[in-house]
């Protein structure tokens, strides 16, 4: 700690000494006041010169070797400046080495990372950005990112306001590589774009899909042959009851297998294969609902009350067979997993936010909350026994989910045990068509 009082005292004692010396000299020459005045002016000028030297030294960069010769208070000022400079040099070195370490770490990260500002100008990128996105750390600094990533899917993604969404795109460097891109907003208007090479993951996913599709396809023929022979043998009047019962059992199981194979094939066609933005035909969803309910009513009689509440003017652009399959699965579930006397309402309207919403509501027994998020997984069933009894494959809701996703929509499930369940598909506004418009086309 600097003792400021002691410093002032020493500076003051130099001043007093100079005045006293001037007084003695003044008394000798007979002009004490004049010499004292001259001494104080001289001292002030000397002080100002020392200060001016320090200012000049500071202005020239305050190099330690060029520090002006000082004493007293000014010497302390120079000492403090030396100390501050040494401290800030140390801090600067620390920041520099932290930055170097961060840059090194970011450079070796396998994920491409690009930081851009709200004008989309690139502020920083790492080495992987060069290998995966062809964005060079130095060459492309300050360039607009949308001038460098020109593929329509990438431009669409960059233009989207919503953050945290993940998209799969092909690498602009090597189109055979698939990248998963995500962007997040950082502080001060900056956005961080991260791209990861998921080529292997996509390959494994595609292989699994192809394997399931191939196996299902291969099982189809032997199953058809088995079912044909079974029918032939069952037609035989000579068959005794014991054997007939056993064969009827085999037939029921082969029917079940046939359903699973058909559902697996349907699923593999839908999965990860989105429809183009304007792909599809205008579908009169209200008619699909009416017709499905009519057919179901014929088969179940009066066990359930089926009600349709649909906007006939509201059409959906999409694949009719897929929407029919989704409606059929949802209505069949609402009948199969509820007791006789249950009321099922199938509705089709624009919801509060103006999006087309298909909803199948029942006032059945409902589903416990812990099952809800797993219902659309393949082969997930709440009540295995009941599903089997109803001929369920455990794939119905997975098909509904993928059909919804193919249309850019999403499956929403709500249920309250004791009150009923609600299965909804919310479609994007881009899939709306109106009956009046379609008629005029
Ligand atoms: P499944 O072929 O077994 O019907 P789904 O994928 O269609 O398979 O349905 C999964 C499970 O969800 C069913 O096994 C059933 O337990 C439950 N579930 C579906 N719909 C309803 C509903 N409306 N009410 C109660 N449970 C339902």
């Amino acid at each position: 700690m600097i003792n400021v009082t002691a410093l002032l005292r020493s500076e003051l004692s130099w001043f007093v000494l100079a005045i006293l010396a001037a007084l003695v000299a003044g008394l000798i020459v007979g002009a004490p006041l004049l010499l004292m005045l001259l001494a104080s002016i001289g001292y002030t000028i000397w002080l100002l010169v020392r200060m001016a030297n320090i200012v000049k030294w500071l202005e020239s960069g305050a190099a330690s070797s060029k520090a002006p010769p000082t004493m007293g208070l000014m010497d302390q000022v120079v000492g403090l400046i030396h100390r501050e400079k040494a401290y800030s040099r140390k801090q600067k070195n620390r920041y520099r080495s932290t930055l170097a370490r961060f840059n090194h770490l970011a450079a070796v990260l396998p994920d491409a990372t690009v930081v851009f500002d709200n004008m989309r100008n690139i502020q920083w990128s790492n080495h992987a950005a060069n290998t995966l996105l062809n964005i060079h750390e130095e060459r492309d600094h300050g360039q607009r990112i949308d001038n460098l990533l020109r593929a329509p899917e990438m431009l669409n993604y960059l233009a989207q306001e919503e953050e945290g969404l993940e998209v799969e795109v092909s690498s602009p460097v090597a189109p055979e590589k698939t990248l998963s891109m995500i962007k997040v907003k950082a502080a001060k208007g900056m956005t961080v774009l991260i791209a990861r090479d998921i080529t292997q993951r996509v390959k494994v996913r595609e292989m699994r899909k192809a394997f399931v599709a191939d196996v299902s396809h291969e099982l189809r023929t032997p199953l058809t042959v088995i079912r044909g022979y079974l029918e032939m043998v069952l037609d035989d009047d000579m068959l005794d009851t014991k054997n007939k019962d056993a064969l009827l059992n085999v037939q029921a199981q082969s029917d079940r297998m046939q359903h699973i194979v058909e559902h697996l094939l349907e699923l593999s066609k839908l999965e990860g294969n989105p429809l183009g933005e304007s792909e599809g035909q205008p579908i009169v969803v209200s008619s699909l609902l009416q017709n499905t309910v009519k057919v179901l009513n014929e088969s179940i009689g009066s066990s359930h009350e089926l009600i349709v509440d649909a906007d006939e003017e509201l059409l959906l652009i999409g694949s009719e067979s897929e929407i029919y399959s989704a409606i059929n699965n949802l209505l069949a579930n609402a009948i199969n997993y509820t007791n006789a006397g249950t009321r099922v309402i199938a509705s089709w309207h624009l919801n509060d936010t103006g999006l087309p919403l298909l909803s199948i509501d029942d006032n059945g027994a409902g589903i416990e909350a812990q099952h809800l998020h797993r219902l659309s997984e393949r082969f997930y069933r709440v009540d295995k026994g009941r599903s089997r009894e109803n001929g369920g494959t455990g794939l119905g809701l997975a098909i509904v989910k993928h059909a919804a996703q193919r249309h850019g929509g999403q499956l929403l499930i709500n249920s309250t045990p004791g009150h009923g369940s609600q299965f909804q598909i919310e479609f994007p506004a881009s899939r709306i068509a109106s009956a009046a418009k379609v008629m005029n086309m």
Side-chain angles (χ1 to χ4, degrees):
M1 274 291 273
I2 296 167
N3 188 341
V4 181
T5 329
L7 270 173
L8 274 174
R9 208 178 293 138
S10 114
E11 192 72 39
L12 220 65
S13 52
W14 282 107
F15 179 68
V16 172
L17 212 69
I19 295 293
L20 280 178
L23 179 66
V24 173
L27 284 174
I28 294 168
V29 295
L33 278 178
L34 179 68
L35 281 192
M36 276 167 68
L37 182 69
L38 283 176
S40 55
I41 292 173
Y43 188 85
T44 314
I45 290 174
W46 179 56
L47 202 69
L48 288 173
V49 168
R50 280 190 293 160
M51 277 171 73
N53 281 342
I54 292 174
V55 171
K56 221 190 283 170
W57 172 63
L58 280 174
E59 212 179 12
S60 69
S64 302
S65 56
K66 288 187 184 152
T70 51
M71 56 179 290
L73 200 57
M74 291 302 145
D75 194 41
Q76 281 301 324
V77 172
V78 172
L80 282 176
I81 292 169
H82 277 314
R83 206 169 80 185
E84 273 307 303
K85 276 206 70 177
Y87 178 72
S88 70
R89 202 177 308 125
K90 225 156 109 192
Q91 285 289 81
K92 217 191 268 175
N93 283 343
R94 198 175 299 157
Y95 289 144
R96 207 173 282 153
S97 73
T98 312
L99 190 67
R101 231 177 310 144
F102 169 78
N103 276 340
H104 177 71
L105 281 176
V108 297
L109 275 181
D111 295 348
T113 311
V114 183
V115 180
F116 56 91
D117 60 21
N118 45 17
M119 302 299 292
R120 303 221 181 125
N121 292 329
I122 297 174
Q123 297 301 327
W124 185 88
S125 63
N126 67 351
H127 184 65
N130 194 18
T131 27
L132 295 178
L133 299 172
N134 199 19
I135 292 178
H136 192 271
E137 301 98 297
E138 285 147 29
R139 183 195 63 209
D140 297 324
H141 183 267
Q143 297 275 350
R144 276 189 67 122
I145 188 163
D146 41 5
N147 281 344
L148 302 173
L149 303 178
R150 300 291 308 156
E153 46 187 11
M154 291 208 185
L155 290 178
N156 273 345
Y157 183 61
L158 289 171
Q160 267 173 30
E161 275 300 312
E162 208 174 329
E163 61 171 322
L165 279 182
E166 224 173 311
V167 282
E168 286 181 15
V169 292
S170 355
S171 160
V173 182
E176 72 281 0
K177 277 190 179 165
T178 309
L179 305 179
S180 156
M181 284 213 312
I182 186 161
K183 66 175 181 201
V184 272
K185 291 238 183 310
K188 295 187 179 154
M190 295 290 172
T191 302
V192 185
L193 178 87
I194 300 168
R196 171 172 293 180
D197 184 354
I198 54 161
T199 314
Q200 276 311 318
R201 202 165 83 194
V202 172
K203 259 189 199 148
V204 170
R205 191 176 68 200
E206 292 303 317
M207 270 164 65
R208 178 185 61 80
K209 255 175 69 183
F211 176 74
V212 173
D214 288 348
V215 168
S216 316
H217 201 77
E218 290 299 322
L219 282 174
R220 243 181 174 177
T221 320
L223 259 176
T224 314
V225 176
I226 292 169
R227 283 156 55 80
Y229 277 115
L230 269 173
E231 246 170 62
M232 215 171 80
V233 178
L234 278 165
D235 272 350
D236 186 353
D237 294 336
M238 309 290 284
L239 203 64
D240 63 64
T241 331
K242 201 172 141 211
N243 280 332
K244 190 164 185 166
D245 284 350
L247 286 173
L248 280 172
N249 207 345
V250 175
Q251 193 180 42
Q253 291 306 322
S254 72
D255 283 352
R256 216 169 91 70
M257 218 163 153
Q258 172 96 359
H259 281 136
I260 294 176
V261 166
E262 297 301 337
H263 270 179
L264 279 173
L265 278 172
E266 192 176 345
L267 200 52
S268 65
K269 272 185 215 140
L270 298 173
E271 204 185 357
N273 187 17
L275 281 175
E277 200 127 289
S278 53
E279 203 178 330
Q281 301 293 320
I283 309 164
V284 189
V285 179
S286 56
S287 303
L288 269 189
L289 288 171
Q290 306 277 12
N291 292 342
T292 317
V293 161
K294 195 168 161 231
V295 173
L296 286 169
N297 263 333
E298 275 159 17
S299 69
I300 61 167
S302 57
S303 82
H304 286 67
E305 187 188 354
L306 305 183
I307 299 164
V308 176
D309 167 22
D311 180 346
E312 289 175 8
E313 280 297 308
L314 179 63
L315 308 192
L316 182 82
I317 307 283
S319 153
E320 183 160 312
S321 61
E322 289 167 23
I323 298 302
Y324 168 73
S325 167
I327 289 175
N328 201 34
N329 273 309
L330 291 177
L331 280 171
N333 279 352
I335 293 166
N336 289 335
Y337 297 108
T338 59
N339 295 332
T342 298
R343 194 175 62 233
V344 180
I345 303 173
S347 63
W348 169 243
H349 291 286
L350 290 183
N351 67 7
D352 297 344
T353 50
L355 298 178
L357 187 78
L358 173 73
S359 191
I360 309 291
D361 301 14
D362 68 64
N363 63 350
I367 307 161
E368 300 279 343
Q370 76 264 25
H371 298 293
L372 295 184
H373 70 286
R374 299 201 55 193
L375 284 186
S376 57
E377 280 175 22
R378 292 151 189 258
F379 300 115
Y380 188 85
R381 294 146 168 132
V382 180
D383 181 345
K384 278 203 171 111
R386 185 155 184 175
S387 165
R388 208 153 280 161
E389 241 173 64
N390 293 329
T393 60
L395 295 168
L397 288 177
I399 289 175
V400 176
K401 181 178 87 177
H402 286 286
Q405 285 176 353
R406 236 167 88 76
H407 288 76
Q410 54 175 337
L411 170 65
L412 309 164
I413 307 175
N414 284 305
S415 188
T416 313
H419 287 90
S421 309
Q422 184 176 56
F423 291 80
Q424 301 183 313
I425 304 179
E426 190 186 66
F427 294 94
S430 55
R431 295 239 158 243
I432 303 177
S434 84
K437 248 196 208 157
V438 172
M439 294 283 278
N440 290 335
M441 273 187 353

